[in-house]
Amino acid sequence: MPKIVDHDERRLELVDATWRIIARQGLESATMREIATEAGFANGALKPYFPTKDTLLEFAFSHVFNRTNLRIAEVSAGRTGLDALRAFCLEVLPLDDERVNEARIVVPFWQRAINDPRKAAIHQQSMAEWLATIRRFLAEARDSGDVDAAVDDSVLAGLLLNMLLGAQIEAALAPDGHTDFGHAAQLEGYLSLLGKKPGR
Amino acid sequence: MPKIVDHDERRLELVDATWRIIARQGLESATMREIATEAGFANGALKPYFPTKDTLLEFAFSHVFNRTNLRIAEVSAGRTGLDALRAFCLEVLPLDDERVNEARIVVPFWQRAINDPRKAAIHQQSMAEWLATIRRFLAEARDSGDVDAAVDDSVLAGLLLNMLLGAQIEAALAPDGHTDFGHAAQLEGYLSLLGKKPGR
């Protein structure tokens, strides 16, 4: 009887191995052979899953993005407005080791995307979704009166999204084990700038 | 008589060639040989200037950073507070082709810095300088009453710096020739959130 293999699970094992290797030694020096070894694959067994390092990197990035979106869906369920926006941002910001590691995947992905329209399109699609999510939460917060800033929501959303992207850079380049960059305080600062101020 | 060579100028020619090649074909596929050819160097003549691709990349990044800082010093001369802060950010933001190209240098540098403490230190030093500059302008704006937001200046500065970094990502990954990302409007939005609002 042929052995039954869960191919999706095998792919995720490869993604985990990719993360560990990239986090340890960087994107350039991570070879497909090392990734296979790290994941416990025989040399050559990796090819059917990911014929090239690029396809593996695309899958790893999509996986990070999907996983982040699952977390976002979970934490924002039943919330609206600024409450939902805060929960969204707290999931995206690199506030713990796991997400600092994700930042270390995303930055190499961005670098590759500069000269690879297919990867750039994955990024742009993801960012368009996030912008739409942020704008929906801002519109809810306007309706409830929690946001009264005299700045257009599309501008506020773009500003916040760029702050979230910049936070990934800061986290990815920080020394190992560093997870407190003041990002949560920056988020609270941003939110308080939008809202009604005490005494107004 | 030996030919007199301006080594600094030669280094800058190499930086320009590096930019053109990286912008065209990406960091990985840019070989030292191609960079030498693009700059009009004989093969091998490049080594005395930059023994490795890494040393060239470090020099190119430092040059971008220095050039940006020269522009900042020029435009902010004689200005203070929000006026100076606006001028600073307008120089850093990728608002034209030249600075979109600079973003395409900076993102590969960041990616390399993840696993290279020396490059990461260059980045952190640069960012510490920018943060200090932003905080100085914010403090001046507090003194003159132009900023009255109930958010700590260090938080406001960190938020702005991350927005400036995120803008580099957006610009670097955009299709060629695209230079309008709404970043100037985001900057105005940020500044207006800090300041006194009409009617208050």
Side-chain angles (χ1 to χ4, degrees), chain A residues 21-28 103-105 107-115 119-120 123-124 148-151 154-170 172-175 181-183 185-190 192-194 197-198 200, chain B residues 21-28 103-105 107-115 119-120 123-124 148-151 154-170 172-175 181-183 185-190 192-194 197-198 200:
Chain A
I21 300 234
I22 292 182
R24 217 152 62 207
Q25 61 196 52
L27 182 67
E28 274 86 26
R104 294 201 176 114
I105 303 292
V107 174
F109 181 87
W110 285 334
Q111 183 259 311
R112 295 241 168 169
I114 294 175
N115 296 90
K119 287 197 186 58
H123 168 79
Q124 275 141 16
D148 68 353
V151 178
S154 68
V155 172
L156 293 177
L159 175 55
L160 179 61
L161 184 62
N162 276 331
M163 178 269 188
L164 296 176
L165 297 187
Q168 309 297 318
I169 302 289
E170 188 176 14
L173 270 68
F181 308 97
H183 294 151
Q186 287 171 25
L187 170 62
E188 289 311 315
Y190 171 87
S192 83
L193 291 175
L194 306 184
K197 304 196 176 47
R200 266 165 84 191
Chain B
I21 299 235
I22 291 182
R24 216 152 63 207
Q25 59 195 54
L27 182 66
E28 275 85 25
R104 293 202 176 112
I105 304 291
V107 174
F109 182 86
W110 285 334
Q111 183 258 311
R112 294 242 168 168
I114 294 175
N115 296 92
K119 287 197 187 59
H123 169 78
Q124 275 141 16
D148 69 352
V151 178
S154 68
V155 172
L156 292 176
L159 175 55
L160 180 62
L161 184 62
N162 276 330
M163 178 270 188
L164 296 176
L165 297 186
Q168 309 298 318
I169 302 288
E170 189 177 13
L173 270 67
F181 308 97
H183 294 151
Q186 287 171 25
L187 170 62
E188 289 310 315
Y190 170 87
S192 83
L193 291 175
L194 307 184
K197 308 200 175 43
R200 266 166 83 191

Side-chain angles (χ1 to χ4, degrees), chain A residues 84-147:
Chain A
L85 185 58
R86 177 183 286 109
F88 168 87
C89 295
L90 287 175
E91 282 309 318
V92 172
L93 286 170
L95 299 174
D96 58 29
D97 279 341
E98 184 189 352
R99 285 170 291 164
V100 170
N101 271 334
E102 289 178 358
R104 294 201 176 114
I105 303 292
V106 168
V107 174
F109 181 87
W110 285 334
Q111 183 259 311
R112 295 241 168 169
I114 294 175
N115 296 90
D116 181 339
R118 199 183 131 105
K119 287 197 186 58
I122 295 176
H123 168 79
Q124 275 141 16
Q125 170 68 23
S126 307
M127 293 308 101
E129 285 173 31
W130 284 10
L131 266 185
T133 301
I134 294 171
R135 289 188 64 169
R136 177 160 52 85
F137 293 148
L138 284 174
E140 290 167 357
R142 291 261 181 209
D143 283 347
S144 67
D146 287 334
V147 169

